[in-house]
Amino acid sequence: MRILLLVFLLVGYSSCETPEQRARQLVSTLTLDEKISLVHGSRGSYVGVTPAIPRVNIPQANDQDGPQGESFLSRNTNVTSVGVGDGLKNVTFWPCTLSVISTWDPELMEQYAAAIGWEQRQKGVNIHLGPMVNIARNPVGGRNFESFGEDPHLSSIMADRYVRGVQSNRIVATVKHFVLNNQEYNRTTTSANAGIRATWEIYYPAFHSAVKAGVGAVMCSYNRINDTWACENQETLNRDLKGKMNFTGFVMSDWGATHSTAKAANNGLDQEMPDGTYFGQPLKDAVINGQVSQERLDDMVVRFLTALYRVGIMDELQTGTTTTNARNSTHDALSRKLAAASAVLLKNDDETLPIKDTVKKIAIIGLDGNDRVTAGGGGSGGVVPPYVVTPLQGIKSRAGPDVQITYDDGSDLKRAAALAAKSDLAVVFVSSWSSEGSDRQNLNVQSNGDQLIEAIAAAQPETIVHGFVAGAVVMPWHSKVKSIVVQFFPGQEVGNAVADVLFGDVNPSARLPVTFPISYDQVPAEKKTQYPGVDNEANYDEGLFVGYRWYDQKKQKPLYPFGHGLSYTRFKYGEAEVVENSDGSFNFTFPVANAGKRSGAEMYLSYPTSALEPPRVLRGFEKVQLEAGQMQKMNFRLGEEDMQIWNVVEDRWTAVKGRFTAHFGSSSRNLHTKKAFNRN
Ligand SMILES: *[C@@H]1O[C@H](CO)[C@@H](O)[C@H](O)[C@H]1NC(C)=O
Ligand SMILES: *[C@@H]1O[C@H](CO)[C@@H](O)[C@H](O)[C@H]1NC(C)=O
Ligand SMILES: *[C@@H]1O[C@H](CO)[C@@H](O)[C@H](O)[C@H]1NC(C)=O
Ligand SMILES: *[C@@H]1O[C@H](CO)[C@@H](O)[C@H](O)[C@H]1NC(C)=O
Ligand SMILES: *[C@@H]1O[C@H](CO)[C@@H](O)[C@H](O)[C@H]1NC(C)=O
Ligand SMILES: *[C@@H]1O[C@H](CO)[C@@H](O)[C@H](O)[C@H]1NC(C)=O
Ligand SMILES: *[C@@H]1O[C@H](CO)[C@@H](O)[C@H](O)[C@H]1NC(C)=O
């Protein structure tokens, strides 16, 4: 009875004060030692922990990775090994974030993040270590599969939804890694040196969007920025994040990314993870001897508790534990839906897909077809799968008894080609794997994938390639095969999702969130001084020309452009119209008509100004579902925030005036209609 009454009083009390006021009030009652205990991690059953202070009802905070699901052990996607069934970590093995990004569907992103957060809460977690929004600057980047792709607008829209989804579960989301942490190679030593305009226009927007969505924590990164460690960087932390972006939550260090005590504390770091090397006793000493002020220590704790109050952690006890079974059949189904929705149909000559009823013999070729399904990436984003449905299993169960399905692991090219030759159709499964800790060494698919595809395509004209990829891959064989599908790591339901798409139960509607180059020498930041850097200095002197902006500027034709993705149906686009609103914003409409079932549409805005501007920048996208023969008018709005650039002289956003052209299309290169307008 007493406890119930107390809870009631706390709830009543909470309604009249803001989270920040409540945090400030609580901090005024803490001792110095209690404050110090909250600004650094301690080892526990989670990757990061801060202790409970029962005296004042502060719960233990449990931090855990991450994208792809709840990470308790390192990856094991070898579905024939005991590792998979054995440890059952009792969580869903989700598609990676880049996979969900490729759906271009913010609603699906929010459902994904909410479900991951829900499972983490069952597991006793209250601080989720995601989203990971570092821009995919160079396609070999080892963590690109966890990222939101190469475009700041797409990343921002999706980061907002991810944060809202996670935090709807009374869990703090942690947007990471702040900032300019775009490579794994020498990640703990390299200085990322970028101009301030590219920093604001390319690398900050997704972080800023997460801040506006109310994200509780920001994780500063391993790298240096302009030669100063990211976790003790006055410009990026105090001036930009807490100053210009008004971030009121806390900055936590990446694991081992703290390098000083007073400098880090005074320049903006609020919490050291995972231990107290700098923010334990040394910080206490620094406060006592005045190198760090009492006010600053209070601010560090207030920021941490503000984040906990804001999502409700202080008002409801966390009851989950690491051994709770958080599996959920609704989540298994959502995982399948997401994986199918994220399949990008890159090529489909002669409408080879979906597989027709006349096909009676299908050869499944390659390790990824069954023995080693590369359904997830590694590192802190890795997950031990509860199960993995292999493509062979998924295709067999969908095709039914009348279709003969055979499998060859592809280790012997001649044997595999012979099997393909006597089948009606061959599907070659290939992959590229990637992990935190290192970048990919090249953009080719792994093992003997390239040779295997060549051998199968030479033996069987009806060859389909299906790739599970970490990011962009090169396809020296692309002209020799009929159809190509890629999925960024699709998770536990991979085989069912593959069957959903190959047999047409799901009409592909995903689009590339990264450009696929013809070869590595075509990619942005390809100079050694840019990536991986020389003597631990990486110069971002490609500036704004990241991703498709680079290819557009260089007038280079990539293999598959940003936004590319086909459907099993065709669309027609009408002419665009524009009206100016009284507040200076513009509304556009253009009709999309459909010969089939499903569509996506996007908008690209081209700036009017000098040759130094990227030719086109994405400023809106909209996905629409259309029935056969249906037509719909698409609406887009361009507000002030869409037509400004970072003014390096005045150090703020300023409006661009003049003549603009808005392009509307289905990829960054497949533009159907455009509309010019003046902004005065
Ligand atoms: C998968 O694991 C099993 C058992 O550990 C091993 O024998 C097999 O070689 C592995 N397969 C691959 C493709 O790694
Ligand atoms: C499955 O998860 C959802 C949240 O995504 C939750 O609402 C539902 O209660 C869960 N179902 C079970 C059986 O736990
Ligand atoms: C990094 O240095 C460049 C070149 O001096 C400067 O323009 C930029 O503002 C600096 N970045 C930050 C975040 O201060
Ligand atoms: C930050 O807050 C200040 C004062 O509350 C406000 O004037 C400013 O517009 C805010 N800036 C942003 C970027 O939200
Ligand atoms: C999985 O959940 C079951 C209860 O359903 C539990 O007995 C088991 O210990 C859990 N396994 C792990 C590794 O958490
Ligand atoms: C990577 O780091 C090592 C050790 O600091 C250094 O010797 C090497 O030059 C670095 N590589 C690059 C390309 O900067
Ligand atoms: C412009 O679009 C907004 C919604 O995006 C709508 O509220 C407004 O009425 C439209 N303005 C005009 C002039 O059609």
Side-chain angles (χ1 to χ4, degrees):
M1 269 319 236
R2 189 170 291 195
I3 291 168
L4 277 179
L5 183 63
L6 180 65
V7 170
F8 175 75
L9 284 175
L10 276 173
V11 171
Y13 172 75
S14 73
S15 61
C16 23
E17 286 188 304
T18 66
E20 196 180 335
Q21 286 166 331
R22 294 177 71 190
R24 211 165 276 291
Q25 168 78 25
L26 186 52
V27 169
S28 71
T29 70
L30 298 181
T31 66
L32 176 59
D33 284 325
E34 285 169 341
K35 290 174 191 170
I36 294 290
S37 76
L38 297 178
V39 296
H40 68 81
S42 322
R43 296 283 176 176
S45 318
Y46 300 85
V47 300
V49 163
T50 55
I53 305 179
R55 184 177 73 75
V56 287
N57 296 317
I58 295 177
Q60 177 174 312
N62 301 324
D63 304 10
Q64 194 70 35
D65 294 289
Q68 283 189 145
E70 165 88 336
S71 150
F72 274 94
L73 271 186
S74 59
R75 143 201 189 263
N76 188 344
T77 47
N78 176 346
V79 297
T80 63
S81 83
V82 285
V84 177
D86 144 22
L88 280 198
K89 288 299 151 184
N90 297 343
V91 291
T92 305
F93 174 38
W94 294 99
C96 68
T97 313
L98 189 60
S99 178
V100 183
I101 291 290
S102 72
T103 68
W104 293 65
D105 187 332
E107 188 52 44
L108 284 182
M109 177 57 80
E110 189 163 343
Q111 287 175 24
Y112 166 76
I116 290 176
W118 185 89
E119 290 184 18
Q120 286 204 314
R121 190 160 173 83
Q122 312 313 302
K123 287 284 195 184
V125 175
N126 40 31
I127 300 189
H128 168 81
L129 304 177
M132 144 52 203
V133 300
N134 295 119
I135 290 289
R137 173 181 179 240
N138 186 301
V140 298
R143 301 189 79 166
N144 287 357
F145 75 91
E146 298 176 56
S147 83
F148 284 52
E150 71 186 27
D151 180 71
H153 179 77
L154 176 60
S155 307
S156 298
I157 299 286
M158 294 297 212
D160 171 278
R161 300 298 282 259
Y162 189 111
V163 168
R164 290 176 200 279
V166 166
Q167 294 196 159
S168 68
N169 294 286
R170 291 202 176 84
I171 290 193
V172 171
T174 307
V175 67
K176 65 190 188 182
H177 310 82
F178 200 72
V179 65
L180 298 166
N181 182 201
N182 309 94
Q183 65 188 59
E184 291 299 282
Y185 180 84
N186 274 6
R187 69 171 175 175
T188 59
T189 47
T190 298
S191 177
N193 309 319
I196 200 66
R197 188 170 164 207
T199 303
W200 276 100
E201 294 190 24
I202 305 286
Y203 299 101
Y204 278 166
F207 288 97
H208 198 178
S209 173
V211 168
K212 288 183 202 159
V215 76
V218 173
M219 186 191 291
C220 53
S221 50
Y222 284 121
N223 54 292
R224 296 176 296 142
I225 298 152
N226 286 347
D227 295 330
T228 300
W229 296 109
C231 290
E232 57 183 46
N233 195 300
Q234 161 71 21
E235 284 73 33
T236 54
L237 298 180
N238 275 346
R239 185 192 65 194
D240 295 344
L241 177 64
K242 293 181 176 178
K244 292 186 193 300
M245 295 184 212
N246 277 355
F247 175 59
T248 55
F250 68 107
V251 175
M252 92 170 56
S253 76
D254 204 337
W255 270 229
T258 309
H259 294 273
S260 62
T261 299
K263 184 175 182 192
N266 290 329
N267 286 352
L269 180 65
D270 300 306
Q271 188 181 70
E272 176 187 11
M273 277 293 165
D275 55 29
T277 308
Y278 296 98
F279 279 20
Q281 185 65 39
L283 181 61
K284 185 178 171 185
D285 295 342
V287 171
I288 290 169
N289 71 28
Q291 286 175 297
V292 175
S293 69
Q294 185 63 58
E295 292 69 39
R296 173 61 188 127
L297 176 64
D298 287 354
D299 175 52
M300 292 159 75
V301 184
V302 165
R303 286 172 170 276
F304 174 64
L305 293 175
T306 298
L308 302 194
Y309 273 118
R310 199 178 279 150
V311 297
I313 291 170
M314 300 294 287
D315 298 319
E316 193 188 287
L317 276 183
Q318 169 63 282
T319 54
T321 67
T322 53
T323 51
T324 307
N325 189 346
R327 292 275 314 286
N328 179 315
S329 57
T330 312
H331 291 186
D332 293 342
L334 177 61
S335 175
R336 175 176 182 167
K337 180 180 171 183
L338 289 168
S342 72
V344 189
L345 179 64
L346 294 178
K347 174 176 180 176
N348 195 20
D349 285 359
D350 307 327
E351 299 190 352
T352 304
L353 290 175
I355 294 171
K356 317 236 167 0
D357 291 345
T358 51
V359 171
K360 294 296 174 206
K361 283 184 183 174
I362 300 176
I364 310 284
I365 313 273
L367 277 174
D368 281 287
N370 194 54
D371 292 347
R372 179 213 59 200
V373 188
T374 308
S380 61
V383 171
V384 177
Y387 66 87
V388 173
V389 178
T390 75
L392 180 61
Q393 291 163 346
I395 289 171
K396 264 192 178 159
S397 88
R398 170 57 177 81
D402 296 343
V403 184
Q404 190 195 342
I405 311 287
T406 51
Y407 170 70
D408 188 300
D409 70 10
S411 54
D412 180 329
L413 299 184
K414 278 203 176 122
R415 188 188 63 207
L419 178 67
K422 61 182 191 194
S423 306
D424 297 334
L425 176 152
V427 190
V428 188
F429 287 89
V430 293
S431 63
S432 73
W433 191 67
S434 182
S435 173
E436 174 181 359
S438 56
D439 292 334
R440 282 189 286 161
Q441 293 188 340
N442 56 57
L443 294 175
N444 290 77
V445 295
Q446 65 184 344
S447 314
N448 66 348
D450 286 332
Q451 298 93 302
L452 181 61
I453 294 166
E454 298 273 358
I456 303 302
Q460 170 56 265
E462 303 291 303
T463 292
I464 295 159
V465 173
H466 197 118
F468 307 128
V469 297
V473 289
V474 293
M475 302 181 170
W477 32 259
H478 75 99
S479 63
K480 297 176 186 158
V481 301
K482 282 279 172 70
S483 305
I484 305 171
V485 182
V486 291
Q487 290 175 287
F488 302 100
F489 302 136
Q492 65 187 31
E493 285 285 338
V494 45
N496 286 329
V498 163
D500 290 342
V501 169
L502 296 187
F503 288 91
D505 302 331
V506 169
N507 188 354
S509 65
R511 301 293 181 77
L512 293 181
V514 289
T515 305
F516 277 36
I518 294 171
S519 60
Y520 184 78
D521 56 22
Q522 210 184 15
V523 309
E526 96 294 8
K527 281 189 278 177
K528 287 270 176 288
T529 51
Q530 296 171 324
Y531 170 86
V534 172
D535 294 337
N536 286 307
E537 298 288 332
N539 295 330
Y540 285 40
D541 51 20
E542 75 280 8
L544 301 171
F545 301 107
V546 174
Y548 60 87
R549 291 160 165 83
W550 168 265
Y551 294 83
D552 287 349
Q553 175 74 3
K554 295 277 169 196
K555 298 194 168 40
Q556 290 243 15
K557 191 177 184 299
L559 180 58
Y560 293 110
F562 175 81
H564 177 71
L566 304 174
S567 162
Y568 293 153
T569 185
R570 292 211 178 81
F571 305 97
K572 277 187 180 165
Y573 300 79
E575 294 298 313
E577 287 172 26
V578 59
V579 291
E580 184 170 358
N581 297 311
S582 53
D583 65 357
S585 64
F586 294 83
N587 283 13
F588 298 83
T589 54
F590 76 95
V592 182
N594 181 10
K597 284 203 184 99
R598 204 173 281 194
S599 161
E602 294 145 318
M603 154 162 186
Y604 290 83
L605 171 67
S606 106
Y607 279 119
T609 41
S610 75
L612 292 173
E613 303 291 337
R616 282 184 293 278
V617 296
L618 182 71
R619 280 292 182 264
F621 60 92
E622 191 78 48
K623 204 161 179 177
V624 62
Q625 192 127 349
L626 296 174
E627 296 307 318
Q630 195 184 342
M631 189 272 269
Q632 189 171 315
K633 276 205 166 170
M634 307 295 294
N635 296 300
F636 290 101
R637 184 182 163 277
L638 280 183
E640 188 178 345
E641 66 283 5
D642 298 313
M643 294 176 284
Q644 55 188 9
I645 61 173
W646 187 260
N647 182 322
V648 296
V649 178
E650 296 173 22
D651 209 21
R652 61 180 182 88
W653 292 105
T654 47
V656 178
K657 301 197 169 168
R659 192 148 180 87
F660 287 75
T661 306
H663 297 264
F664 304 89
S666 44
S667 84
S668 69
R669 288 297 173 94
N670 193 4
L671 302 166
H672 305 292
T673 177
K674 62 185 178 188
K675 194 75 198 171
F677 61 102
N678 289 313
R679 187 154 187 266
N680 303 311

